[in-house]
Amino acid sequence: MREKHSINKIISLNVISTVILEGIAMLTAPVFSRLLGTANYGIFSLFNTWSGFLILTLGAQTSGVVPMAKSHIPENALDQYHSSVMWMSTAFFLVGSGVCLLFAAPLSNLLGIPRAAYVMMFPYAFGSFCVQYLNTKMIHDYRADVNCILSVCVAVATAGLSLLLVFALPADINYMGRIGGMTAVYLLCGVGILIYFTAKGKTLYQADYWKFCLPLCLPLIVHGLSGQVLGQSDRIMLNYYLKESAVGIYSLAYAFSNIISIIWSSLNTAWVPFYYDYTRRGEYAQLHQRAGRYMELYTILTLGFLLLCPDVFRIYADRSYWDGISMIPIFVIGFYFVYLYSFPVNYEFYQKRTKTIAAGTLLSGIVNLILNWIMIRIFGVFGAVFATTIARGCQFAFHYFVAARVIGKNDFPFRPSFLLTPMALVIAVGLSISWIGNGLFLVRWAIGAVLGIWELRRILQRKSLF
C-alpha cells in the first residue's frame, strides 16, 4: 500500500495538471474568440462538439475499462491487453471514419460545419482518444508526474501551433487554423502513443482481451453519449435554429462559466478519498464535519464568482460577446447542480451502482433535448441556457432520490436541508446577478471581498480546505 505522502503527492499532481490544463484553455479562449470572431468561433465550437461524439463512439470508451483491466488482468499480461485493445479501438476508428468520409458532403451539411472541418474531425478524434487512454493508464499506474507533463505539453503545443495557423490563414477561414493546430498535434501524439503500446505489448488482436473489454466498455458509450447530449446538444440546436454568431456567444459564456466547474473537479479529487474512508469506517460524525466544510468552501467560491463575473467577463471577452454576460449566472447555477449531484453520485459509485448513474445521465440528456427543442424556438439563445440548467437540476433531483430513497433508504448520510439550503441561496443570487448584470458594482465587489476574507480566515484557522 502506498504511503500517505505518496498518495497526497499523486492527488496534488492530478489537481495541478487539471488546473494548468484548464487554465491554458481559459487563457487562450479570449484570444481565439477575438481572432476568429463570433461566427468562426461558432464553427470551431461545433467542430469540438461533434468531435466529442466521435471520441466516445469510435473510441468505444475503452479507456473507461483501464481500472477494471488492472484489477482483473494478470500484471504480466497488461502490456498485451493494452496493445490489443488500442488496436481494437483503432479498427473501430478506421472503419467508422471510412464510412463517414464516404458521405462527407451530405453529412457535413447536416452537421452544419464546412467540409474541410468535417474531414479534420476524424484524425483529431483518434488522437484525442489515444491521449485520453494514455492519461487514464498513467493515473491508475500512479504516474501522475508523467500524466501532468504529457497533458501540459499537448495543451501548450496545440495553442501555439493554432495561433500560428490562425494568423497565417485568411480571416474568412481562420477557424481552420485553430482546428488544424489541434488536429496536427493530437494526431501526431496519437500515432506515437499507438506505436508505444504496440512496441510494449506486441499484440494486435487477442480474442480474450476483446471479449473482456467489449461488454464493459459498450455501456460506457451510452453514459458518455448522454453526457455529451446534456452538455453539447444546445450548441447544435442553436446552430440549426439561429446562426453561428449565437453559438459563438453562447459557447464563450459557457466556457467562462466552466471555471467554477473546474474548481469543483479539482476539489472533488481531494474530497472523494475523505468520503470513502469515513464511510467505510462508519465515522459519520467526521464525515459530516468535513462535508460541511466542503459545502461551505464551494458555496462561497460560487457566490464570489457570481458576484464578480459580469465585470471580469467584460475584460475577458471582446465587446461582441458581451450579450453573454447575463447567461453566465444561469450556467453557474447549472454547474452548482453538478456539484450537488456529486454527493449522491459518489454514494452510488461507492455502492457500485454504475447502471443507475448511466440511467440518470441518459434521462437528463433526454430532458435537455426536449427542453432545447421547445425553449430555443420560444426564447432563442436564452432558451438553451435555461434548458441546460433545468436538465442539470433534474439530474441532481433524480440521483438524490435514488441515493436517499431507493439505494440508501436510511443509510444515505446527507439530509435534504444539507443540500437544498445552499442550493436555494445560489439560485437566488444567480438569478439576481443575471437580472442586474454589471450594475451595483461596489456592492457586489464589497460583498465578494467580505465573503472571501471570511472563508480564508476559516481555512487558516482549521489549517485545512475541509
Side-chain angles (χ1 to χ4, degrees), residues 124-321:
Y124 169 70
F126 172 73
S128 295
F129 156 75
C130 293
V131 171
Q132 183 185 81
Y133 193 99
L134 182 61
N135 281 343
T136 305
K137 183 179 183 299
M138 290 295 105
I139 288 171
H140 289 277
D141 285 348
Y142 301 104
R143 298 302 308 275
D145 50 348
V146 175
N147 181 53
C148 183
I149 293 170
L150 171 67
S151 300
V152 171
C153 288
V154 169
V156 172
T158 55
L161 181 58
S162 294
L163 277 173
L164 291 175
L165 293 175
V166 166
F167 282 118
L169 291 172
D172 59 331
I173 58 167
N174 61 4
Y175 60 86
M176 285 301 299
R178 180 63 170 135
I179 292 171
M182 292 169 57
T183 301
V185 172
Y186 273 95
L187 179 60
L188 181 63
C189 289
V191 172
I193 290 167
L194 181 61
I195 293 172
Y196 163 78
F197 278 113
T198 306
K200 289 196 70 177
K202 299 178 176 63
T203 306
L204 302 185
Y205 171 75
Q206 171 54 256
D208 289 341
Y209 298 149
W210 287 31
K211 289 177 183 178
F212 171 84
C213 185
L214 279 172
L216 295 172
C217 70
L218 293 180
L220 294 178
I221 297 176
V222 177
H223 173 61
L225 285 175
S226 301
Q228 281 290 101
V229 169
L230 179 58
Q232 305 291 345
S233 63
D234 39 19
R235 293 166 177 79
I236 298 168
M237 297 180 79
L238 278 172
N239 184 64
Y240 180 79
Y241 286 113
L242 301 177
K243 52 186 179 180
E244 287 91 347
S245 59
V247 179
I249 294 169
Y250 179 96
S251 297
L252 191 63
Y254 185 95
F256 181 81
S257 308
N258 195 48
I259 293 172
I260 203 67
S261 181
I262 296 165
I263 294 171
W264 163 73
S265 180
S266 299
L267 291 175
N268 194 54
T269 302
W271 159 250
V272 169
F274 280 111
Y275 173 74
Y276 283 0
D277 285 345
Y278 287 132
T279 301
R280 187 164 47 247
R281 296 194 297 261
E283 298 175 355
Y284 292 107
Q286 293 90 332
L287 172 63
H288 290 144
Q289 182 186 51
R290 295 282 188 182
R293 292 172 178 175
Y294 180 32
M295 178 66 74
E296 173 193 297
L297 173 63
Y298 189 74
T299 302
I300 293 297
L301 290 171
T302 302
L303 292 174
F305 186 86
L306 284 169
L307 291 165
L308 310 185
C309 68
D311 313 298
V312 178
F313 188 75
R314 289 166 72 89
I315 299 170
Y316 175 82
D318 183 73
R319 181 181 293 271
S320 58
Y321 292 88

Side-chain angles (χ1 to χ4, degrees), residues 370-408:
I370 295 171
L371 290 177
N372 270 317
W373 180 71
I374 296 170
M375 298 178 72
I376 289 175
R377 296 193 295 177
I378 299 173
F379 303 109
V381 68
F382 263 93
V385 177
F386 279 101
T388 299
T389 299
I390 293 169
R392 293 192 190 282
C394 292
Q395 186 179 31
F396 161 63
F398 171 85
H399 285 290
Y400 183 82
F401 176 79
V402 169
R405 303 299 180 189
V406 178
I407 301 174

Side-chain angles (χ1 to χ4, degrees), residues 1 27 79 86 116 198 203 228 238 282 337 366 389 393 415 445:
M1 187 173 181
L27 288 172
D79 286 339
M86 281 291 292
T198 306
T203 306
Q228 281 290 101
L238 278 172
F337 282 137
I366 293 171
T389 299
R415 295 181 179 274
W445 279 79

